[in-house]
Amino acid sequence: MPGVHPGLHRTVKTFQFPLPVMLGVIIFAGSGLMMNHHQLQKTQQRKPAWLKRTLPKGSEYEKVRAVLGRGKLHSVCQEAKCPNIWECFSQETATFLILGDRCTRNCRFCAIAHGPSGPPDPEEPARVAEAATSMGLSYVIITSVTRDDLPDGGAGLFSETIKEIRKRMPDALVEILIPDFQANTDALQAVLNAGPNVLNHNLETVPRLYPIARPEAVYGRSLNVLKNTRAYAPDIPTKSGIMLGLGESPEEVEITLKDLLGVGCNILTLGQYLQPSKKHLPVEQFIHPLEFERWREKALEMGFSQVASGPFVRSSYHAKELFQSVRS
Ligand code: SF4
């Protein structure tokens, strides 16, 4: 059966057919015209050919892994099981995860561990900067788990990390992928004052799916992070990303893109949601690469300066190229 259409799945679930008919549906499904829930579940997780990838490994990858290990550092690449880890490591790019490896939130699509976390480590900014320097990075990406337990949400450590990197590598470009700091505008201002080259904050999905996908987040609050950045630091390009395949409709995606443009977002990433484990939300749909290409063209037509769109695209994918294209 071509692709997996989320609507089909729901139709079966929502209509309370009397049991005999339900049985009929399941038996009927046996003939391949429809799928019952379990078949759908199994099929959902079976990746299409375009999501199968041979993973090159090599000295660069091992070098980066060793540096991260020595520095007692976390990379979101490893924690979030990013499919591009080999490609990025081999291009000497990595995204550093600061503020611990446990998040105070529990987004249903995210592989990162969640729960209480210890106090921020004041030495971490220097260690990140050391590692970035020894890796010879020219484009450094800093992100973090969400620390709703901290008064400034960890903004202070973001600022210190940018400053420590600049101390060692004045020409390095720094992109930060921040949480929403629970709408704490002083925290946002403090981070922007440290002068990142790109401010990234992901919407992750469309507003209708927030309650199931990221229940502790608020769609409007996330839009305001980008809007306030545009107001406080108009020279800093803003960036955001959405995963496709969680059950969103094309109309919902288009409205979300319009909302992003409405708050002055310049750079967009669109990628395929992949289920980290059975405990996480199932994939509702695998989006074909041609459809991603169509979204890239549409988003550029709509007004984004730069768009990365594809099954393997993630927040930091080809981040340096996207930034340089915006700046050129
Ligand atoms: S807030 Fe970020 S790190 Fe935390 S669970 Fe959600 S996506 Fe993962």
Side-chain angles (χ1 to χ4, degrees):
M1 227 162 159
V4 175
H5 191 290
L8 171 64
H9 174 188
R10 274 200 206 85
T11 312
V12 173
K13 262 193 182 169
T14 46
F15 288 110
Q16 298 308 326
F17 291 111
L19 186 56
V21 177
M22 272 309 288
L23 282 174
V25 168
I26 294 170
I27 296 159
F28 197 50
S31 62
L33 287 176
M34 285 184 66
M35 291 185 175
N36 66 29
H37 179 68
H38 300 297
Q39 284 171 319
L40 200 55
Q41 278 289 7
K42 208 157 99 270
T43 313
Q44 265 165 348
Q45 309 314 314
R46 201 178 307 138
K47 289 183 184 156
W50 64 78
L51 280 173
K52 298 200 172 110
R53 210 179 218 191
T54 49
L55 304 169
K57 264 193 177 171
S59 60
E60 284 311 326
Y61 169 74
E62 292 308 331
K63 188 177 102 183
V64 172
R65 222 155 60 86
V67 169
L68 290 168
R70 272 200 307 278
K72 296 196 297 308
L73 293 168
H74 305 290
S75 81
V76 80
C77 323
Q78 293 158 303
E79 304 287 337
K81 298 190 180 81
C82 178
N84 305 313
I85 194 170
W86 286 269
E87 189 181 346
C88 295
F89 277 12
S90 305
Q91 292 165 0
E92 298 181 352
T93 300
T95 301
F96 295 96
L97 183 73
I98 61 172
L99 292 159
D101 60 355
R102 297 176 73 80
C103 186
T104 53
R105 296 187 186 175
N106 180 19
C107 302
R108 305 300 300 118
F109 54 81
C110 179
I112 290 186
H114 52 272
S117 215
D121 172 359
E123 301 307 314
E124 189 173 41
R127 288 208 313 278
V128 168
E130 279 306 324
T133 308
S134 65
M135 289 159 68
L137 295 182
S138 55
Y139 197 94
V140 185
I141 303 157
I142 310 293
T143 189
S144 80
V145 293
T146 296
R147 295 294 304 263
D148 291 333
D149 59 320
L150 301 174
D152 71 347
L157 218 75
F158 266 101
S159 310
E160 283 314 305
T161 306
I162 298 169
K163 291 172 189 161
E164 287 293 332
I165 291 169
R166 288 270 153 74
K167 251 194 257 168
R168 290 166 179 75
M169 301 190 291
D171 303 328
L173 299 168
V174 180
E175 173 173 324
I176 53 173
L177 172 53
I178 62 167
D180 61 26
F181 296 135
Q182 292 190 304
N184 179 340
T185 49
D186 292 341
L188 177 61
Q189 188 97 62
V191 167
L192 292 171
N193 289 346
N197 298 90
V198 175
L199 186 283
N200 189 351
H201 178 69
N202 286 330
L203 290 187
E204 306 287 10
T205 186
V206 299
R208 177 178 57 81
L209 298 177
Y210 266 52
I212 56 167
R214 48 186 333 224
E216 296 105 338
V218 179
Y219 183 75
R221 184 167 71 195
S222 280
L223 280 176
N224 278 341
V225 170
L226 299 163
K227 187 176 180 187
N228 292 336
T229 299
R230 176 67 46 254
Y232 300 156
D235 297 336
I236 298 179
T238 54
K239 179 178 178 179
S240 190
I242 305 169
M243 295 171 289
L244 301 183
L246 276 171
E248 68 293 328
S249 72
E251 296 72 26
E252 289 177 308
V253 174
E254 194 166 334
I255 292 166
T256 302
L257 297 189
K258 281 192 185 125
D259 290 343
L260 281 171
L261 286 167
V263 294
C265 183
N266 310 92
I267 306 171
L268 175 72
T269 59
L270 295 172
Q272 169 74 52
Y273 166 61
L274 294 174
Q275 187 186 38
S277 81
K278 287 260 174 279
K279 287 183 299 172
H280 294 86
L281 289 173
V283 175
E284 293 290 346
Q285 198 179 6
F286 289 110
I287 313 291
H288 193 279
L290 290 177
E291 201 167 334
F292 274 110
E293 181 50 28
R294 274 197 292 276
W295 275 119
R296 194 183 76 80
E297 287 161 9
K298 177 140 191 101
L300 289 169
E301 255 168 50
M302 290 171 72
F304 287 95
S305 311
Q306 284 301 317
V307 180
S309 177
F312 288 110
V313 168
R314 296 292 175 269
S315 307
S316 309
Y317 192 63
H318 292 199
K320 184 178 174 186
E321 291 83 19
L322 291 175
F323 169 71
Q324 288 173 327
S325 316
V326 163
R327 272 288 176 253
S328 59

